[in-house]
Amino acid sequence: DIQMTQSPSTLSASVGDRVTITCRASQSVNTWLAWFQQKAGRAPKLLIHKVSNLDSGVPSRFSGSESGTEFTLTISSLQPEDFATYYCQQYDSYPWTFGQGTKVEIK
Amino acid sequence: EEQVVESGGGLIQPGGSLRLSCAVSGFTVSNTYMSWVRQAPGKRPEWVSSIHGGTSTYYADSVRGRFTISRDNSRNTLYLQMNNLRVEDTAMYSCARITQATGWIPFDIWGQGAMVIVSS
């Protein structure tokens, strides 16, 4: 199975901050990498697919990039509605796997 | 509006069975790649099973042989039959769509989930 490891586990930030979350895959996922946002009591919401493609309606302050097997989610200017938990997920090969999550908290 | 709505969760004893349903509206389940994903309280989401095309099905090792994914095209509904349930199967179960564009777009639509609690 492909293991997905995110860092940090928790991130404290203020509105307007630039935020970066990292996800490392244990082997190549051939750009089949997605990012989800989850708020308490809600299903995850797709933000980005295929490393850097924003899903419909997702604000442009979110962006994704890759360097080999390391992937990055960046929020350019954190907004109040962005405080949530973020997960990366690979869909290159079964079993599809998620990272352990990064909780973005208010500083 | 495209949406999915799960039902069928509940409290069940270890070894018991449940069938989850996922009613689809706004698109057709028959030609759509669909999955079940579960999430135990405080844990990361876990992919459980997918169905693709006519008969291609995929399962996580932890549920293979106990869970069966299927769909009823006439009802536009996805199912997850869960047998021999274990305490560790306790989770919120959601159905989610996978869309084909230039490649696959995973889990672009989710339902609100159905809670399954396995406990004696």
Side-chain angles (χ1 to χ4, degrees):
Chain A
D1 299 2
I2 299 176
Q3 309 302 316
M4 307 301 291
T5 304
Q6 288 181 234
S7 60
S9 296
T10 306
L11 187 161
S12 296
S14 301
V15 172
D17 284 354
R18 181 181 181 88
V19 166
T20 298
I21 299 169
T22 298
C23 174
R24 178 171 284 113
S26 60
Q27 64 191 71
S28 173
V29 299
N30 295 307
T31 76
W32 302 115
L33 188 284
W35 289 97
F36 294 85
Q37 176 194 67
Q38 188 175 32
K39 298 182 179 179
R42 305 284 296 273
K45 173 189 173 184
L46 177 66
L47 296 175
I48 288 172
H49 62 93
K50 207 169 187 294
V51 175
S52 59
N53 293 273
L54 265 61
D55 196 33
S56 176
V58 174
S60 59
R61 63 180 180 273
F62 291 93
S63 64
S65 63
E66 70 166 316
S67 177
T69 57
E70 186 169 292
F71 302 88
T72 300
L73 172 69
T74 300
I75 309 173
S76 60
S77 177
L78 198 65
Q79 298 302 300
E81 60 268 30
D82 299 337
F83 291 97
T85 299
Y86 293 84
Y87 295 97
C88 62
Q89 180 244 334
Q90 68 81 18
Y91 53 109
D92 175 68
S93 61
Y94 282 121
W96 291 0
T97 47
F98 290 81
Q100 81 277 19
T102 295
K103 186 174 183 179
V104 177
E105 298 181 329
I106 300 173
K107 189 173 183 179
Chain B
E1 180 187 5
E2 298 175 322
Q3 67 174 1
V4 296
V5 178
E6 302 91 340
S7 60
L11 174 63
I12 188 77
Q13 290 189 339
S17 297
L18 274 179
R19 188 179 77 160
L20 302 181
S21 300
C22 170
V24 172
S25 56
F27 63 96
T28 303
V29 74
S30 62
N31 59 0
T32 302
Y33 199 169
M34 297 291 296
S35 288
W36 288 96
V37 179
R38 69 185 180 184
Q39 190 171 22
K43 302 296 185 182
R44 74 184 78 181
E46 179 189 13
W47 169 80
V48 172
S49 180
S50 295
I51 186 165
H52 180 217
T55 57
S56 297
T57 57
Y58 310 88
Y59 297 95
D61 286 347
S62 59
V63 307
R64 185 176 293 111
R66 300 187 298 124
F67 291 12
T68 303
I69 190 171
S70 64
R71 56 190 171 201
D72 183 333
N73 296 337
S74 65
R75 297 180 183 272
N76 211 29
T77 299
L78 179 74
Y79 298 103
L80 186 67
Q81 177 67 43
M82 304 184 295
N83 297 331
N84 191 19
L85 282 159
R86 304 168 180 169
V87 170
E88 56 265 34
D89 295 319
T90 294
M92 181 72 79
Y93 286 73
S94 298
C95 66
R97 185 181 74 175
I98 303 155
T99 294
Q100 184 171 19
T102 51
W104 298 108
I105 300 175
F107 309 147
D108 61 339
I109 292 178
W110 295 67
Q112 84 290 347
M115 189 69 201
V116 173
I117 300 173
V118 185
S119 175
S120 55

